[in-house]
Amino acid sequence: MIQESYSVLLVCDDSKIVPLIKAFLVAPIFNLSVTEDFYEASRLTEMRKYDFIIADSKGSSAVDFAVNISDSDATVLILVNAENFEEISYRVERFGILTVSKPLEATNFYNMIKVAIAVHYKIQTLSTQTIKLKTKMEEIRIVNRAKLLLVEKRGMTEAEAHRYLEKEAMDNGLKRIAVAEMVIHDWE
């Protein structure tokens, strides 16, 4: 089995946390980029797609950064002090952001990375399904538009229009959507 590689952006300036995370997120499985600055991290996320983004909470800038990037395809983790865990976790949960309590313990961090990988796969699956559904819905919309034109312009019934599109597609070795697009082009 070929092991996948994950791109990770770590936004942290804590001299104790960075080495710990680097020890867990090793190449070739993880391609780790590190920055200390949230402005730089924002710039990096605009230039490149990351699978995981880990932000160390230092004030509200980490929370704001995490929320701002939460609509990306990346799985976002935010590291927070134990005393702020509940408050920050409550604020970011609705954005799909995972919260990890500090101080980091190796076992807990490892387990959270495993959870993040599982979430990442789930997001990829749901994104793929969403794209397929949107494509199918668009195809249905176009075919229905073509049927309506055939009913209005050629006096066909809905069943006859449906059969016409199916037959034309089969006879010409085309997909039904291609025939529907031709009908729309011809009649609009």
Side-chain angles (χ1 to χ4, degrees):
M1 183 173 126
I2 297 173
Q3 193 143 26
E4 191 168 340
S5 178
Y6 305 103
S7 59
V8 181
L9 175 62
L10 172 61
V11 189
C12 180
D13 64 356
D14 189 321
S15 61
K16 293 177 185 173
I17 292 176
V18 172
L20 175 67
I21 292 176
K22 281 183 175 182
F24 274 101
L25 306 180
V26 295
I29 298 171
F30 296 97
N31 178 6
L32 181 63
S33 301
V34 181
T35 182
E36 298 178 359
D37 182 14
F38 288 106
Y39 294 110
E40 174 69 8
S42 294
R43 190 184 68 73
L44 290 171
T45 59
E46 290 174 8
M47 293 174 26
R48 177 177 176 198
K49 180 182 175 280
Y50 290 94
D51 296 313
F52 303 101
I53 299 172
I54 304 170
D56 184 18
S57 172
K58 297 257 179 161
S60 64
S61 57
V63 174
D64 293 341
F65 169 75
V67 169
N68 287 339
I69 61 163
S70 66
D71 62 348
S72 72
D73 288 340
T75 301
V76 181
L77 294 91
I78 188 167
L79 310 175
V80 299
N81 291 327
E83 60 270 9
N84 300 330
F85 180 84
E86 288 300 323
E87 174 199 342
I88 293 175
S89 180
Y90 178 77
R91 284 177 51 199
V92 300
E93 284 173 347
R94 66 177 177 234
F95 298 102
I97 298 169
L98 302 173
T99 312
V100 181
S101 181
K102 293 190 305 188
L104 288 181
E105 295 176 15
T107 305
N108 290 343
F109 183 72
Y110 175 77
N111 289 337
M112 188 54 77
I113 291 300
K114 298 302 275 180
V115 167
I117 289 171
V119 168
H120 177 72
Y121 279 118
K122 189 65 163 178
I123 289 170
Q124 283 183 322
T125 301
L126 291 173
S127 293
T128 301
Q129 289 173 346
T130 300
I131 290 167
K132 286 179 182 177
L133 284 172
K134 285 181 178 180
T135 302
K136 187 67 175 169
M137 287 174 52
E138 181 64 12
E139 181 180 321
I140 290 169
R141 187 188 69 73
I142 290 169
V143 168
N144 285 340
R145 179 72 185 136
K147 285 182 195 178
L148 179 65
L149 286 169
L150 289 169
V151 168
E152 289 177 352
K153 305 289 185 182
R154 292 180 107 188
M156 294 181 178
T157 65
E158 195 269 336
E160 290 170 335
H162 178 79
R163 172 75 179 120
Y164 173 83
L165 293 174
E166 293 288 326
K167 183 168 178 0
E168 285 294 310
M170 202 177 316
D171 290 349
N172 295 305
L174 298 170
K175 292 188 177 219
R176 188 174 54 158
I177 185 140
V179 174
E181 288 171 337
M182 288 188 289
V183 167
I184 292 169
H185 180 266
D186 290 344
W187 290 99
E188 283 194 325

